[in-house]
Amino acid sequence: MTLPLDSILTLRLVLGEILAEQLPQAGRQWLDTKVNLTNPVSIQTAFVAAPRFTGKKPVSLSPERRQQLAELRSHFSLLAWPMDRVTRLYLLLHLPMEQKELFIQSIETLFETAEMNELVALYASLPVLPYPEAWVFRATEAVRSNMGLVFDSLALGNPYPAEQFSELAWNQLVMKTIFNDKSVGGIIGLQERSNPALARILVDFAHERWAAGRYVPARAWQVIVPFVNDSMVDDIRHLFHSNRSIDREAAYLISTEADFAPARKLLQEYSITVPETLNWNQLDTQLA
Amino acid sequence: MCQHELNPSHFEENKEEVTHSNLEFTQYRDLIKDMKFFDPHVHMTSRTTDDYQAMADAGVVALIEPAFWLGQPRTGVASFKDYFSSLVGWERFRSSQFGIKHYCTIGLNSREANNEALAEQVMEVLPLFVYKEGVVGIGEIGFDDQTPAEERFYRLQLELAKEANLPVQIHTPHRDKKQGTERSMAIALEHGLDPGMVIIDHNNEETVKSVLDQGFWAAFTIYPFTKMGNERMVEVVRQYGPERIMVNSAADWGISDPLAVPKTAALMKMKGISDEAVRLVTYRNALDAFAQSGQIDESDFGQEIDQSQKFNGNTILRGGQQPRIDKDSIFIK
């Protein structure tokens, strides 16, 4: 989705209030001089230098603030953001937003020269930047990154990929999250963006892991639920036979939720007892 | 290359046979047990994961990787950008996997300053990098052939260091070293830099006195054949004391030794240098000099590695420990 410009400007005001309340005094003075500069290079340099003046204390958010942010942009919160990251987003929103080409070029330059924490700030900011379609390639680069924090900033808790990624790019993101042993449940839009190709890739991947004597994170199996077919019945059986209880619980959830009679029948064949409140999130061993 | 260790110094020849290059870890491990080291000049981009592991085992807790040339000239500004990015990005991450805190200095090295058209483009991107987190100075800059182009970009970068309030790490030339070192210091003073913010690197017995007398930091590179051997280093510390002196390995893509700092510490202890002097020369002085950047927090050293930084599907960082592979096993799992 494209956030309307007036929402972006409101967000900028909100960020300004938060920073005025929570930055150390020297940082506040520094920031005041920087946001008044209109040329992109000054804003870019300030973006880079921010931690020297702002520190990295986590931002504190009152319930009202959280509410306010959630209303401005769904699935966007500043939860656990350090002050330098909040400041960096605030600075990005002072780049010339009405001049599309210049704005995109300014952000691209920051990506090209970014170190790890700058990349995290940029990727975490994507959901609230104008011209969302312009950052798709950059976003896929985060999925290719071997730097864990960079990957996380785009893949987990971030609504941008589900809204902008092609099916191919989406499936890569989900599979890399699984492959990297990260929290599959942290992906926003996991269920909504699931597709038959992803279900097939996951099953093939499971076969490889099983051949190597390894496992697939149990939480990942949710993606096959809408697409269960005859070819997958043996795989569900395999899960019912697993020595890990979370795999057996995943098999139970697939069989219960899939709209596919042969899968339902497995529930009679393997009568396992599960907690009454069992749901997919409980199978996410990587969730904090 | 040029100076060879067979060239006599004005110090008495030492007949001891132990040198840093034939010292094995098992022989000196006990001497430096529980000590920690800071190597303020080492080019990790050129080194393997085995080197990182060996450095961590020997007590290296932090290091500085100065920007330098890559063995052959670059052809465009984009390769400089990628190199600077890797120093603050991938290499820093790689180091963190071994529990070693990685800092860097950023600058245009003297050799490539001679390609003036390219050097001008590099100067334009430098400000985007020098303010980055963990950039603890401008470096390594200075003279190589001592050409007018080298001088021009050296001066420009001294101004950048002043503007950014960052220490400067100065490479001194292999050829015409003594004069090159004097000239580097004179120009730094001419630009109004505080000598306490300037680290003169690759010193030897011939240059050290003047560097210390003028109030600069004196770094010594323990590097086989072309720079200092560490037996000579012990004598330097004996003669001048530990104040404002630091040692580094400058290990790179040449035959060099990433364990030069812990080995030199061990050798100093063997030869009766006090524990406090060893600590200053192999840890504290480098820390004090570069911490003037405001970018070094000693409490970050030796921290458990952030769990969330593990990557690529394995348990590489679990518990903050790099998993060991059994190198003698024929099985790879």
Side-chain angles (χ1 to χ4, degrees):
Chain A
M1 68 176 249
T2 305
L3 203 56
L5 188 62
D6 61 341
S7 300
I8 297 179
L9 293 175
T10 310
L11 174 66
R12 192 170 83 177
L13 279 177
V14 173
L15 293 173
E17 287 169 15
I18 293 173
L19 291 168
E21 288 159 13
Q22 298 182 35
L23 276 183
Q25 199 193 343
R28 233 172 26 237
Q29 283 167 355
W30 168 81
L31 188 59
D32 284 344
T33 64
K34 294 301 166 188
V35 293
N36 287 324
L37 302 169
T38 46
N39 80 43
V41 175
S42 307
I43 300 285
Q44 286 167 328
T45 312
F47 176 92
V48 172
R52 294 179 185 235
F53 302 93
T54 63
K56 291 173 169 267
K57 236 179 71 190
V59 63
S60 91
L61 298 168
S62 64
E64 296 76 35
R65 283 280 186 223
R66 288 183 201 203
Q67 173 83 20
Q68 194 178 20
L69 289 165
E71 281 167 12
L72 274 172
R73 173 64 162 105
S74 60
H75 298 297
F76 182 79
S77 75
L78 303 175
L79 204 62
W81 282 34
M83 291 310 283
D84 61 321
R85 198 181 304 161
V86 181
T87 306
R88 280 174 166 162
L89 171 56
Y90 183 62
L91 286 161
L92 293 182
L93 300 182
H94 283 81
L95 287 167
M97 282 188 277
E98 327 70 47
Q99 295 164 261
K100 181 172 178 180
E101 259 176 50
L102 184 60
F103 184 79
I104 291 174
Q105 191 47 51
S106 305
I107 299 281
E108 282 290 325
T109 302
L110 287 174
F111 268 115
E112 278 173 14
T113 54
E115 54 80 56
M116 195 162 75
N117 290 323
E118 292 168 29
L119 283 174
V120 170
L122 287 164
Y123 284 121
S125 299
L126 290 187
V128 293
L129 294 188
Y131 318 114
E133 67 290 342
W135 325 116
V136 173
F137 170 71
R138 285 291 169 195
T140 61
E141 293 282 76
V143 179
R144 292 185 188 98
S145 174
N146 266 355
M147 291 187 260
L149 291 178
V150 174
F151 178 91
D152 292 357
S153 66
L154 189 275
L156 307 180
N158 189 330
Y160 182 87
E163 291 167 2
Q164 300 293 336
F165 272 19
S166 68
E167 181 176 295
L168 185 70
W170 177 258
N171 291 352
Q172 274 304 317
L173 180 148
V174 176
M175 289 311 297
K176 282 202 94 162
T177 306
I178 294 168
F179 189 75
N180 290 349
D181 262 338
K182 289 177 179 293
S183 165
V184 187
I187 300 174
I188 291 177
L190 183 69
Q191 260 182 294
E192 295 80 354
R193 287 296 311 264
S194 199
N195 58 76
L198 180 60
R200 182 203 46 82
I201 294 168
L202 179 70
V203 169
D204 282 353
F205 175 72
H207 293 168
E208 287 179 55
R209 281 227 166 158
W210 291 341
R214 297 176 181 155
Y215 301 96
V216 168
R219 179 67 173 81
W221 289 105
Q222 187 183 14
V223 306
I224 75 165
V225 167
F227 311 105
V228 172
N229 58 34
D230 279 323
S231 75
M232 297 177 193
V233 173
D234 280 348
D235 299 313
I236 304 171
R237 285 183 191 280
H238 187 107
L239 290 172
F240 272 120
H241 285 285
S242 172
N243 57 6
R244 301 196 313 173
S245 63
I246 45 173
D247 287 340
R248 299 193 296 272
E249 288 166 357
Y252 176 89
L253 286 174
I254 299 168
S255 305
T256 315
E257 294 177 7
D259 188 15
F260 187 61
R264 286 280 167 80
K265 271 169 71 183
L266 294 176
L267 289 170
Q268 285 135 38
E269 200 175 324
Y270 301 93
S271 54
I272 67 164
T273 45
V274 297
E276 212 172 293
T277 56
L278 182 69
N279 65 55
W280 285 104
N281 279 333
Q282 291 165 2
L283 303 188
D284 203 331
T285 52
Q286 305 294 332
L287 273 186
Chain B
M1 279 164 89
C2 36
Q3 295 100 329
H4 194 272
E5 61 178 358
L6 293 180
N7 291 336
S9 74
H10 61 228
F11 290 96
E12 249 186 31
E13 285 286 57
N14 201 311
K15 302 296 177 204
E16 290 272 351
E17 287 195 351
V18 177
T19 70
H20 72 92
S21 45
N22 66 13
L23 209 54
E24 281 181 22
F25 189 44
T26 47
Q27 294 173 271
Y28 66 92
R29 178 170 45 198
D30 287 345
L31 282 170
I32 56 167
K33 200 166 149 268
D34 301 327
M35 288 186 73
K36 50 190 182 178
F37 302 106
F38 189 157
D39 188 342
H41 186 147
V42 56
H43 301 287
M44 296 313 295
T45 305
S46 316
R47 310 300 306 193
T48 65
T49 48
D50 284 0
D51 288 337
Y52 268 123
Q53 206 144 53
M55 290 167 79
D57 286 346
V60 176
V61 294
L63 58 83
I64 296 172
E65 176 152 11
F68 80 144
W69 83 308
L70 296 174
Q72 63 181 39
R74 276 164 278 215
T75 56
V77 69
S79 4
F80 275 94
K81 276 204 300 200
D82 291 339
Y83 175 65
F84 296 146
S85 288
S86 76
L87 293 185
V88 295
W90 179 244
E91 201 56 45
R92 182 181 290 175
F93 179 78
R94 208 164 76 96
S95 183
S96 74
Q97 291 177 264
F98 299 87
I100 299 177
K101 187 79 188 159
H102 182 285
Y103 303 98
C104 64
T105 57
I106 294 282
L108 169 67
N109 66 83
S110 47
R111 288 186 200 226
E112 286 171 291
N114 289 300
N115 180 347
E116 288 194 62
L118 181 53
E120 283 166 8
Q121 296 174 53
V122 175
M123 288 307 299
E124 278 178 32
V125 301
L126 277 186
L128 274 177
F129 289 97
V130 301
Y131 293 103
K132 287 195 192 293
E133 281 184 77
V135 174
V136 297
I138 304 290
E140 52 183 307
I141 62 169
F143 286 114
D144 188 50
D145 289 350
Q146 305 190 48
T147 62
E150 289 175 15
E151 179 171 339
R152 176 181 162 212
F153 290 101
Y154 175 51
R155 287 178 182 274
L156 285 171
Q157 292 184 91
L158 290 176
E159 285 302 313
L160 181 60
K162 248 181 19 183
E163 161 87 32
N165 197 23
L166 283 172
V168 186
Q169 188 172 29
I170 294 181
H171 165 92
T172 51
H174 293 268
R175 296 161 295 275
D176 195 9
K177 186 176 201 79
K178 209 168 164 180
Q179 206 221 292
T181 305
E182 289 304 328
R183 197 170 152 203
S184 306
M185 291 190 289
I187 294 175
L189 295 174
E190 184 194 321
H191 280 262
L193 271 89
D194 171 1
M197 287 289 273
V198 179
I199 298 91
I200 304 290
D201 213 339
H202 315 318
N203 277 282
N204 61 28
E205 295 88 341
E206 300 295 324
T207 56
V208 56
K209 185 166 189 307
S210 172
V211 170
L212 291 175
D213 285 350
Q214 295 185 64
F216 293 88
W217 297 86
F220 289 81
T221 295
I222 310 301
Y223 194 109
F225 311 126
T226 60
K227 297 191 175 81
M228 285 287 286
N230 59 354
E231 296 172 278
R232 288 159 58 200
M233 190 66 227
V234 175
E235 297 310 318
V236 167
V237 173
R238 225 193 280 285
Q239 176 162 351
Y240 292 97
E243 199 190 332
R244 277 183 291 122
I245 285 180
M246 66 186 81
V247 298
N248 61 53
S249 71
D252 56 12
W253 28 249
I255 296 170
S256 44
D257 191 340
L259 297 182
V261 174
K263 284 180 179 179
T264 303
L267 196 65
M268 286 185 200
K269 293 195 80 167
M270 278 180 202
K271 299 199 172 192
I273 303 288
S274 76
D275 286 8
E276 179 58 10
V278 175
R279 194 179 75 88
L280 288 169
V281 170
T282 58
Y283 179 76
R284 189 79 234 170
N285 288 346
L287 179 62
D288 288 345
F290 287 98
Q292 297 179 93
S293 64
Q295 291 299 298
I296 298 181
D297 183 351
E298 201 180 351
S299 65
D300 288 343
F301 297 178
Q303 284 297 303
E304 284 289 290
I305 301 154
D306 185 345
Q307 283 286 315
S308 61
Q309 293 190 22
K310 68 182 194 268
F311 73 107
N312 254 3
N314 55 39
T315 52
I316 204 152
L317 298 178
R318 202 154 280 158
Q321 288 296 311
Q322 180 78 357
R324 296 283 168 146
I325 55 168
D326 178 356
K327 289 190 177 162
D328 296 327
S329 171
I330 195 170
F331 298 111
I332 300 168
K333 296 201 178 185

